[in-house]
Amino acid sequence: MCNGDDMQTELENRATAPEGDHVTDRLGRPMRDLRLSVIDRCNFRCTYCMPAEEVGPNFPWLGMSEWLSFEEMLRLVRQFARLGVEKIRLTGGEPLLRAHLPELVKGLRAIPGIKDLAMTTNGILLSLYAADLKEAGLDRVTVSLDALDETVFRTMNGGFDAPAKVLEGIEAAQAAGFKDIKINTVVRRDINMGELVPILTKFRGSDVVVRFIEYMDVGNVNHWESDQVVSSAELIDLISNQWEIEPVAKNYSGEVADRYRYADGSGEIGFVSSISQPFCRPCNRSRLSVDGKLFTCLFATEGTDLREPVRSGESDEELHDRIAAIWTQRTDQYSQLRWGGKKKKDGDKKIEMFYIGG
Ligand code: SAM
Ligand code: SF4
Ligand code: SF4
């Protein structure tokens, strides 16, 4: 299952028939959403994503020449858009570490068919770039924030920087004109359970929607264990002790996040139940790594290289057909088939979250 954000508004699986050369996979799912990873590096070492003890100074990062250039990304995205992609989410690693990101945003904005342009960031650099990104045409931002208490924040992210800087980034995004900002909070039972009510209290009464994400068994380096997962049902009980909340109808059939609202009208809360209530049926997401590999599932073990065809001079039509062929063969349903929250067998190599961005 996919992660937070995005995942929801997000699984815009409108039950529309494919138009033009729009593709569907073998389960009839369209390709509507592309998560575009612009860098594999990060200025955090979140315990659930790229823990410092696994991803240290000698980690074999991709070299910069292996990264797709913006021009190469735009060329590929044009083909994705022809095949039905309407929404792009910039991600990483930490996307704000990629130099000149607003230039990429401008280019993406100009691609016909792209209706929604979003970014997920850890927010540490957001105050520097929010205005430029807005001006370049970015529609929405999601900011990851796992704690307000500095010690807990650092325990979650491997010891880096301060939550105050993330809050500054959120304010800068609001000042730049971003609306409906979302907060992604991954919940780990042993670390940040005590932070959930404070985070909600901070954003209650604003248009910022906090979404709690069940800790997922994505990748291998986080050494995921099911006892660290807190189910959305448990969180809903916990929050209900504090405030009266009530479920809100899904925006559309198959929406992945469960929406709740405060009964007193103070806003909404989201719950992404990737582990306790997996749901792959409407999954319409494709993912492109910064080195140009196309993945059709967050839990894939391998992607298909699109960089080599781009660099060896394939025509747009050939690239288009290549991407179409990959999507039409897709059968992924990892979360749904995963057995009751157990981790994959040791030795099953899954792609890392920081490589394809969630
Ligand atoms: N660095 C950016 C950030 O953290 O927002 C973007 C990339 S990050 C991989 C995208 C999202 O994935 C973040 O909201 C992060 O909290 C979430 N994430 C990473 N590992 C996760 C895991 N094991 N389970 C659930 N969510 C996870
Ligand atoms: Fe997540 Fe893969 Fe299922 Fe999509 S198909 S919801 S990416 S597990
Ligand atoms: Fe970096 Fe985001 Fe992964 Fe945290 S979740 S280590 S901020 S890529």
Side-chain angles (χ1 to χ4, degrees):
M1 173 167 281
C2 334
N3 181 347
D5 302 322
D6 327 330
M7 177 155 171
Q8 329 0 67
T9 330
E10 358 231 81
L11 284 175
E12 290 184 341
N13 262 343
R14 298 155 210 163
T16 49
E19 304 160 17
D21 59 356
H22 289 189
V23 282
T24 53
D25 70 9
R26 286 173 70 177
L27 301 175
R29 298 171 295 190
M31 181 167 65
R32 290 261 186 270
D33 191 320
L34 173 66
R35 298 187 66 99
L36 183 57
S37 175
V38 296
I39 193 162
D40 60 339
R41 302 175 198 202
C42 190
N43 42 7
F44 280 6
R45 288 292 180 275
C46 300
T47 53
Y48 49 79
C49 178
M50 54 182 343
E53 61 278 13
E54 294 282 346
V55 185
N58 298 322
F59 189 79
W61 300 108
L62 294 167
M64 285 174 71
S65 64
E66 295 178 86
W67 298 352
L68 293 177
S69 66
F70 287 171
E71 203 179 308
E72 289 168 336
M73 286 181 188
L74 293 171
R75 198 163 160 229
L76 285 168
V77 172
R78 275 184 214 109
Q79 307 318 313
F80 280 95
R82 288 175 62 195
L83 292 164
V85 165
E86 299 176 341
K87 176 187 164 188
I88 308 278
R89 180 164 291 273
L90 301 175
T91 180
E94 173 46 43
L96 293 177
L97 291 179
R98 179 86 188 235
H100 312 298
L101 197 63
E103 281 175 25
L104 176 65
V105 170
K106 258 185 219 154
L108 291 169
R109 186 75 281 169
I111 294 178
I114 300 303
K115 297 180 181 158
D116 185 23
L117 203 43
M119 176 183 70
T120 305
T121 171
N122 65 26
I124 285 293
L125 299 173
L126 189 55
S127 61
L128 297 178
Y129 296 113
D132 288 351
L133 289 165
K134 182 71 187 165
E135 202 187 320
L138 190 70
D139 294 311
R140 297 186 300 120
V141 288
T142 296
V143 181
S144 301
L145 177 65
D146 298 329
L148 293 179
D149 175 88
E150 187 153 337
T151 305
V152 181
F153 180 83
R154 285 169 169 261
T155 308
M156 283 297 274
N157 78 19
F160 294 88
D161 238 307
K165 248 188 170 168
V166 179
L167 296 175
E168 243 175 61
I170 294 168
E171 281 164 24
Q174 287 170 321
F178 286 103
K179 305 270 181 243
D180 301 321
I181 294 171
K182 294 194 175 100
I183 304 292
N184 274 358
T185 302
V186 175
V187 183
R188 283 195 55 150
R189 186 177 294 284
D190 60 343
I191 307 182
N192 66 335
M193 281 290 277
E195 288 297 302
L196 311 186
V197 167
I199 291 174
L200 287 175
T201 305
K202 168 84 190 158
F203 295 106
R204 211 172 105 81
S206 74
D207 69 347
V208 175
V209 175
V210 177
R211 294 176 326 164
F212 295 119
I213 302 174
E214 289 179 355
Y215 176 24
M216 282 189 282
D217 55 332
V218 66
N220 296 79
V221 299
N222 60 13
H223 303 296
W224 181 90
E225 294 291 346
S226 56
D227 61 4
Q228 287 307 311
V229 179
V230 184
S231 72
S232 296
E234 184 177 339
L235 292 179
I236 289 165
D237 278 352
L238 185 141
I239 294 163
S240 300
N241 290 332
Q242 186 82 19
W243 296 286
E244 191 184 341
I245 58 172
E246 55 199 21
V248 182
K250 286 188 183 285
N251 280 321
Y252 44 89
S253 150
E255 186 178 23
V256 175
D258 292 321
R259 297 165 60 211
Y260 277 67
R261 69 176 161 222
Y262 296 102
D264 67 1
S266 298
E268 274 193 28
I269 310 171
F271 297 91
V272 179
S273 313
S274 322
I275 299 290
S276 64
Q277 294 173 332
F279 199 66
C280 299
R281 193 63 195 87
C283 180
N284 55 16
R285 294 185 152 193
S286 52
R287 296 176 161 83
L288 189 62
S289 65
V290 66
D291 59 343
K293 292 205 172 65
L294 171 58
F295 293 87
T296 56
C297 178
L298 186 53
F299 294 90
T301 47
E302 278 176 31
T304 308
D305 184 28
L306 299 179
R307 186 186 63 193
E308 199 280 327
V310 167
R311 291 191 178 171
S312 66
E314 266 195 8
S315 69
D316 285 351
E317 280 319 302
E318 286 168 320
L319 291 171
H320 166 280
D321 293 351
R322 190 181 278 279
I323 298 166
I326 295 165
W327 191 264
T328 51
Q329 287 308 307
R330 176 181 188 248
T331 57
D332 301 292
Q333 302 185 74
Y334 172 83
S335 286
Q336 205 138 314
L337 302 177
R338 173 216 284 128
W339 184 71
K342 288 226 166 146
K343 60 181 181 180
K344 264 192 164 183
K345 295 192 297 292
D346 284 347
D348 282 353
K349 192 78 190 141
K350 289 176 289 179
I351 210 69
E352 295 298 335
M353 189 72 137
F354 57 84
Y355 175 61
I356 47 171

